[in-house]
Amino acid sequence: MLNFHFTVCILLITLSVHAQQNREKSLKNTSWVQQGYGRSLKIEDSTYIYYNTNSIACKALADGKLSGRFSIVSLTKDELTLNPGGIVNYIFKRVDSLPPMCTNVGTNTISYEKNFKVFWETFHDNYAFFKERNINWKQVYEEYLPRVRKINAPKEFAVILLEIVKKIGDGHIRLEIPDSLKTKVAATTLPVIRRKKDDIIQSIKDTYLADPHTYNNGVINWGKLKGSQIGYILIKDMNNFAKDYDDKIKDSKQPLAQFADELNGVDQVMKNILAGIGQSDSIVIDLRFNGGGLETVALRLLSYFVGESKHVLSVTAKTNQGNSKKQQYILQPANTAYQGKVYLLLSSQTASAAEIFALAARNYPDIKTIGSRTAGIFSEILWKELPNGWEFSLSNEIYTDPKGKTYEGTGVPVSSELNYSRNRLDFYNSFYSGDRFTDKAIDQILIK
């Protein structure tokens, strides 16, 4: 019987590989435009070129072996669905050919005005949260275009774009400008003690943990709280869970293989963690210092603390004609999931993929949240480039709970509010009174 099941598994794997290969053959020499994201795809033999596009330019973003970058979810005559290794599928519509600008590389100098218009149009077509951020984007155009027309130097242009970015106030919006154009900030004369994230984490381990453990240079730390049967897990990042997390090793692998390594790393470390503290009366998961990473890592980690499969969130992407089709994510519990009570610690420094963990966790009443609402920036970062070569990013994906509510801009709330400062430095310093370290959230759990 064992040999029969093994044979069936091998047969299914073989059929899956053949199906992928047959689909790749049918994609040879085809062109596609992505729904949302402002991107296009050219597939030649077994290779691809992925382009960033705007109204006046088209530039290759990535290229390589198709099967190493995307898995094919579905294919019809006119529609192609690919998965890049995350929870969101990319949907493409077939076109006869890519825009001429994708193959004809221009060398003309682009004015500040045209660069500004590309910047504005890219946000207009892809940015999803003008309403949540209380921004009138048309008014921004009317206000800044006259100023742009008077610009005589790149630094002036940089100042204007940075001013607009600051006005929006989205932590996922970034503008990469040359160092020579950056304004140096004068050093403060006030005697401020600058606590760092790693200082807080080390103080928690020293003060509260009995026999602490760590993995992959501190990406995750765990143990039991002193004098109790309460387990504690601090997750510092949603990246670098792969066993071989060295950048050189990562770069030698295809993207899909890298993502698989991350999930395998999560499974391995969670097996070890639950073997040590899985019999605890309750477990604390601390995401207060986690700025994000891979949403697949975040949700795989959460799967070890839930007891049933649920629709935990939905995702759609902004397009120039509205939003793409909504995609639902169903969280499946891990085979060896923890069955006890869970406390989830959050703060305004809990961001991006860590917030996706918190958003999904809201569907499980046994997970109690303590701290303060999260940062409110959920979307994958969509990177774009101006004609002058400056790169910038924005938020184009809309994450909602199963009822359609978004927490963009406001953050995921908590059930037990500790009123943490939303200023990072003040938040870090709040753990100290002189040299004395205390953690109100952990103390609250210990006295329950």
Side-chain angles (χ1 to χ4, degrees), residues 206-432:
D206 292 343
T207 308
Y208 290 95
L209 288 193
D211 190 25
H213 300 268
T214 190
Y215 171 78
N216 268 13
N217 201 31
V219 69
I220 188 166
N221 305 268
W222 71 94
K224 283 190 177 180
L225 297 179
K226 291 179 179 177
S228 77
Q229 288 300 311
I230 302 173
Y232 174 86
I233 304 170
L234 186 149
I235 307 169
K236 180 180 173 182
D237 206 321
M238 297 302 181
N239 282 312
N240 299 326
F241 277 81
K243 184 177 180 181
D244 298 318
Y245 74 103
D246 180 84
D247 286 340
K248 289 183 179 179
I249 296 175
K250 271 188 178 181
D251 293 342
S252 68
K253 297 184 176 184
Q254 296 283 350
L256 290 182
Q258 293 180 26
F259 297 141
D261 287 346
E262 288 288 323
L263 296 182
N264 289 336
V266 170
D267 292 337
Q268 185 59 54
V269 73
M270 286 308 306
K271 178 181 178 181
N272 294 338
I273 290 173
L274 293 181
I277 63 173
Q279 300 303 313
S280 302
D281 296 336
S282 57
I283 286 182
V284 180
I285 303 172
D286 196 341
L287 299 184
R288 290 175 295 176
F289 315 99
N290 192 316
L294 298 174
E295 78 280 4
T296 48
V297 166
L299 293 168
R300 180 64 68 89
L301 285 164
L302 178 58
S303 74
Y304 282 89
F305 300 95
V306 302
E308 60 179 314
S309 61
K310 284 188 178 183
H311 169 208
V312 294
L313 57 85
S314 297
V315 191
T316 185
K318 172 71 168 61
T319 75
N320 59 1
Q321 297 178 337
N323 293 333
S324 65
K325 183 179 179 181
K326 187 172 288 188
Q327 300 179 40
Q328 294 185 353
Y329 183 81
I330 309 298
L331 182 65
Q332 303 289 346
N335 292 332
T336 56
Y338 175 70
Q339 299 299 319
K341 188 172 184 179
V342 175
Y343 297 98
L344 179 60
L345 307 188
L346 305 172
S347 77
S348 64
Q349 302 307 305
T350 308
S352 197
E355 292 184 273
I356 292 172
F357 183 114
L359 176 64
R362 286 178 61 81
N363 297 278
Y364 296 92
D366 289 339
I367 300 179
K368 305 299 181 183
T369 52
I370 301 174
S372 288
R373 61 187 172 91
T374 61
I377 48 172
F378 294 82
S379 172
E380 180 76 16
I381 297 176
L382 180 66
W383 281 100
K384 292 292 183 177
E385 184 175 318
L386 293 177
N388 67 2
W390 296 359
E391 294 184 342
F392 64 102
S393 65
L394 52 86
S395 301
N396 73 313
E397 293 174 343
I398 305 165
Y399 279 77
T400 67
D401 67 15
K403 295 181 179 179
K405 179 178 176 60
T406 179
Y407 294 89
E408 186 76 23
T410 60
V412 176
V414 295
S415 53
S416 180
E417 178 64 61
L418 295 182
N419 296 309
Y420 288 138
S421 172
R422 298 190 74 76
N423 176 279
R424 182 174 59 185
L425 180 60
D426 291 341
F427 169 58
Y428 289 168
N429 283 338
S430 70
F431 288 86
Y432 296 87

Side-chain angles (χ1 to χ4, degrees), residues 86-260:
I87 68 169
V88 179
N89 292 329
Y90 290 171
I91 301 171
F92 297 81
K93 295 296 183 180
R94 187 191 292 267
V95 293
D96 292 334
S97 61
L98 296 184
M101 57 190 175
C102 292
T103 53
N104 300 328
V105 180
T107 58
N108 294 332
T109 301
I110 305 298
S111 67
Y112 294 119
E113 182 175 340
K114 285 187 176 179
N115 274 278
F116 172 76
K117 287 182 176 179
V118 167
F119 181 82
W120 187 89
E121 288 169 0
T122 303
F123 272 84
H124 177 269
D125 291 346
N126 296 282
Y127 186 66
F129 303 110
F130 290 123
K131 179 180 178 181
E132 287 77 7
R133 301 287 175 180
N134 196 28
I135 298 293
N136 184 326
W137 196 234
K138 184 179 179 181
Q139 185 177 318
V140 167
Y141 183 86
E142 294 171 348
E143 177 184 348
Y144 284 92
L145 182 58
R147 290 176 56 183
V148 170
R149 286 172 172 164
K150 297 177 182 179
I151 287 174
N152 294 310
K155 188 166 186 177
E156 296 174 56
F157 186 49
V159 168
I160 285 178
L161 295 188
L162 289 169
E163 188 176 310
I164 295 172
V165 168
K166 184 177 181 181
K167 180 177 290 191
I168 300 173
D170 183 330
H172 272 168
I173 299 178
R174 300 167 190 172
L175 177 64
E176 301 293 336
I177 60 175
D179 290 342
S180 60
L181 302 181
K182 294 178 181 178
T183 302
K184 293 183 179 179
V185 180
T188 178
T189 56
L190 297 176
V192 178
I193 299 175
R194 296 189 177 276
R195 309 285 186 182
K196 297 179 180 179
K197 179 194 301 188
D198 288 342
D199 296 333
I200 311 295
I201 293 172
Q202 188 60 50
S203 292
I204 290 173
K205 290 161 68 174
D206 292 343
T207 308
Y208 290 95
L209 288 193
D211 190 25
H213 300 268
T214 190
Y215 171 78
N216 268 13
N217 201 31
V219 69
I220 188 166
N221 305 268
W222 71 94
K224 283 190 177 180
L225 297 179
K226 291 179 179 177
S228 77
Q229 288 300 311
I230 302 173
Y232 174 86
I233 304 170
L234 186 149
I235 307 169
K236 180 180 173 182
D237 206 321
M238 297 302 181
N239 282 312
N240 299 326
F241 277 81
K243 184 177 180 181
D244 298 318
Y245 74 103
D246 180 84
D247 286 340
K248 289 183 179 179
I249 296 175
K250 271 188 178 181
D251 293 342
S252 68
K253 297 184 176 184
Q254 296 283 350
L256 290 182
Q258 293 180 26
F259 297 141

